[in-house]
């Protein structure tokens, strides 16, 4: 088995997690590193790469859990329906919602995309607007300071704009996007056009929006490797935290400090575009309630994101039933979905020994990209094999820290400790398969970048120096960099 070969190779080559962490930051770029093909460690998916590449369980998931994985997949794919219905296992949709199923946003378990046009020419499934306002009183300031909440929701429309509703209710409104094109000329004379989006809300159905409304657009992120992110030791994440830039390298990443609903204490955030959730369980169940309107053990409101100002919404029937712990989704259901989302395999890297890929990897390091997109971690608590504490390398290409990305990418909306210019470094594993899986090449938190080069050129703030280095690259080196990213 390739996974066993990898375990033996790692044991011989690295010996211990400390040995890996002590390796020089810049590897030998004339050849691939040991285990580099196995991006997701022992559980890496090693078979056929096609549009289903993100749908497979980790290769080390025990046989006895395969059925549970498929049950969780069924819940992830489930189309929820309006209550009441004869099938209590699927009713409780909304009443306000963004999608009827998790898979509608996470296309093939890959990343979402912005709409091709504004409503009614296209809908915004797989992308929505987060909503919040600044604190309005001492109690709200206290809750924010104690990290009991990350934001103050808009008082009428709640934490996100939900453009769909069950029969008998209007959706909350429509996200409207306009773009302005700005040319950027690279050192070799190539011109790249960047599209800058502007967001607004049209047709608000429940009254005026708060005058201090803050909006943050979000596309659905990929689902692969999430359990491995949970397995990274907090100390390994915090080791790169440098909020005051004491080493003078221009990079001042810091962890978000958020409320961990599972442990009922402040913890470091790992999930979401601003690392607003500490655990995958919280990320899953928050989305189940906020995006689809399904009550669950951690978010028990059967009316989802409906607010006190939306009386008609709160009067709609819900799907809570004693067959599911007086909820719409029981703990058994959310646990099955958690097992599924924790064990979605990262596909193997392609072309790791290709000379152009290796040359592009050198550009990635030399330009400073790896300062935030940390290539590898050592983990010992693999969710697929909790009994096995043997160390393994994973290659997420993220430090999971917040970084100031400059005014160009700023949403102006704080979330817990993250300010309006900060974003969590997104993992890059699987990024080269975006088009294969999802049929598009839109990147960044709102899909404004239409390809990988545009995504790089939007980087600012702490990433400005790396971005400028890419602008100055000769054509061949820039092409090599893109080829490297496409191999991830």
């Amino acid at each position: 088995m390739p996974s066993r070969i990898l375990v033996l190779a790692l044991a011989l080559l690295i010996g211990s997690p400390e040995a890996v962490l002590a390796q020089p930051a810049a590897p030998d770029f004339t050849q691939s590193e040991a285990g580099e093909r196995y991006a997701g460690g022992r559980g890496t998916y090693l078979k056929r790469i096609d549009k289903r590449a993100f749908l497979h369980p980790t290769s080390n998931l025990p046989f006895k859990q395969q059925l549970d994985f498929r049950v969780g997949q069924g819940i992830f794919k489930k189309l929820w329906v309006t209550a009441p219905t004869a099938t209590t296992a699927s009713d409780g949709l909304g009443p306000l919602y963004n999608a009827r199923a998790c898979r509608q946003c996470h296309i093939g378990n890959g990343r979402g995309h912005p709409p091709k046009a504004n409503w009614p020419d296209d809908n915004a499934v797989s992308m929505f607007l987060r909503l919040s306002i600044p604190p309005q009183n001492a109690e709200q300031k206290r809750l924010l300071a104690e990290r009991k909440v990350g934001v103050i929701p808009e008082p009428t429309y709640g934490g996100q704009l939900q453009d769909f509703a069950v029969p008998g209710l209007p959706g909350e409104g429509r996200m409207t996007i306009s773009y302005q094109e700005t040319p950027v000329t690279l050192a070799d004379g190539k011109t790249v056009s960047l599209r800058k989006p502007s967001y607004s809300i049209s047709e608000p159905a429940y009254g005026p929006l708060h005058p201090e409304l803050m909006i943050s657009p979000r596309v659905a992120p990929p689902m692969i490797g999430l359990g491995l992110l949970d397995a990274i030791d907090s100390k390994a994440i915090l080791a790169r935290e440098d909020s005051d830039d004491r080493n003078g390298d221009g990079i001042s990443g810091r962890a978000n400090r958020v409320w961990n609903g599972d442990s009922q204490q402040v913890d470091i955030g790992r999930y979401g575009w601003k690392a607003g959730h500490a655990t995958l369980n919280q990320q899953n169940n928050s989305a189940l309630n906020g995006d689809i309107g399904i009550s669950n053990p951690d978010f028990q409101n059967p009316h989802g994101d409906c607010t006190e100002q939306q009386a008609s919404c709160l009067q709609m029937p819900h799907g809570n039933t004693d067959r599911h712990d007086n909820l719409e989704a029981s703990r058994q259901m959310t646990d099955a979905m958690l097992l599924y989302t924790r064990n979605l395999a990262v596909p193997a890297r392609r072309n790791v020994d290709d000379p152009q890929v290796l040359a592009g990897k050198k550009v990635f390091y030399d330009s400073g990209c790896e300062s935030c997109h940390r290539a590898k971690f050592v983990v010992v608590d693999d969710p697929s094999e909790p009994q096995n504490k043997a160390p393994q390398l994973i290659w997420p290409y993220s430090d999971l820290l917040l970084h100031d990305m400059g005014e160009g990418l700023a949403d102006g909306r704080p979330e817990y400790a993250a300010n309006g210019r900060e974003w969590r470094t997104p993992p890059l594993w699987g990024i080269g398969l975006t088009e294969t899986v999802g049929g598009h090449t839109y990147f960044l938190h709102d899909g404004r970048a239409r390809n990988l080069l545009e995504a790089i050129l939007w980087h600012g703030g702490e990433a400005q120096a790396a971005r400028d280095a890419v602008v100055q690259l000769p054509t061949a080196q820039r092409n090599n960099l893109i080829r490297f990213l496409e191999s991830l």
Side-chain angles (χ1 to χ4, degrees), residues 47-370:
K47 298 180 181 179
R48 181 178 178 180
I49 297 297
D50 55 20
K51 67 180 182 180
R52 295 178 52 83
F54 291 176
L55 296 174
H56 303 284
T58 54
S59 61
N60 57 343
L61 185 68
F63 177 76
K64 63 182 180 180
Q65 290 188 309
Q66 298 285 335
L67 178 59
D68 294 333
F69 179 88
R70 296 304 174 189
V71 171
Q73 183 181 45
I75 295 170
F76 192 84
K77 294 167 60 177
K78 177 196 293 284
L79 282 170
W80 295 87
V81 297
T82 307
T85 65
T87 171
T88 58
S90 298
D91 70 354
L93 175 68
L96 301 170
Y97 60 95
N98 293 106
R100 291 182 55 200
C102 301
R103 72 168 178 176
Q104 284 189 316
C105 293
H106 302 278
I107 304 163
N109 283 340
R111 68 188 67 238
H113 59 80
K116 295 179 180 179
N118 292 318
W119 180 267
D121 297 318
D122 196 5
N123 62 47
V125 172
S126 84
M127 180 179 181
F128 62 82
L129 298 178
R130 293 277 192 211
L131 309 177
S132 60
I133 61 172
Q136 304 294 299
N137 53 52
E139 174 65 8
Q140 291 178 350
K141 291 179 181 178
R142 181 187 67 80
L143 290 171
L144 289 170
E146 293 178 356
R147 302 286 190 260
K148 294 294 180 63
V149 299
V151 299
I152 304 301
E154 205 280 343
T156 299
Y157 291 84
Q160 61 197 62
L161 183 74
Q162 292 157 323
D163 46 357
F164 297 110
V166 299
L169 281 181
E172 290 185 316
R174 299 294 178 186
M175 173 175 62
T176 300
I177 314 174
S178 61
Y179 293 102
Q180 180 181 353
E181 298 282 347
T182 302
V184 176
T185 302
L186 309 183
D188 64 355
K190 178 183 176 67
T191 299
V192 179
S193 184
L194 302 183
R195 59 175 191 170
K196 180 180 181 180
S198 296
Y199 298 93
S200 61
I201 297 172
S202 63
E203 306 175 34
Y206 294 86
L209 294 149
H210 195 279
E212 296 181 275
L213 176 67
M214 296 180 286
I215 294 175
S216 184
R218 309 286 175 89
V219 297
M223 298 298 297
I224 57 172
L226 298 181
L228 293 173
L229 300 184
D230 235 356
I232 297 173
D233 192 312
S234 297
K235 293 179 181 178
I237 297 173
L238 297 176
R240 281 208 180 184
E241 197 176 34
D242 185 18
S243 56
D244 298 321
D245 191 21
R246 293 181 180 178
N247 63 4
D249 66 352
I251 306 299
S252 52
R254 62 195 183 102
N256 203 350
R257 265 68 176 184
V258 308
W259 186 252
N260 184 333
D262 294 346
S263 63
Q264 293 293 299
Q265 63 185 9
V266 176
D267 201 348
I268 66 170
R270 299 171 189 247
Y271 298 99
W273 285 103
K274 285 182 180 279
H277 286 289
T279 69
L280 181 55
N281 178 64
Q282 290 286 301
Q283 175 70 42
N284 285 350
N285 293 344
S286 173
L288 190 61
N289 190 248
D291 300 355
I292 309 178
I294 301 301
S295 61
N296 60 73
D298 299 306
F299 299 87
Q300 298 186 5
N301 186 352
H303 294 99
D305 197 36
C306 295
T307 70
E308 293 180 1
Q309 307 302 316
Q310 297 169 324
S312 56
C313 182
L314 296 175
Q315 292 169 3
M316 298 298 291
H318 58 72
N320 281 6
T321 171
D322 56 7
R323 302 177 90 182
H324 300 302
D325 306 335
N326 290 316
L327 299 165
E328 292 163 337
S330 66
R331 177 66 75 185
Q332 183 180 21
M333 296 168 71
T334 60
D335 281 352
M337 190 166 68
L338 178 60
L339 185 144
Y340 172 70
T341 56
R342 290 186 73 184
N343 290 284
L344 285 165
V346 179
R349 282 274 310 278
R350 285 89 48 219
N351 306 314
V352 293
D353 290 308
D354 182 290
Q356 288 180 294
V357 169
L358 290 168
K361 180 181 175 182
K362 185 176 189 303
V363 174
F364 185 84
Y365 275 77
D366 290 348
S367 299
C369 304
E370 206 272 343

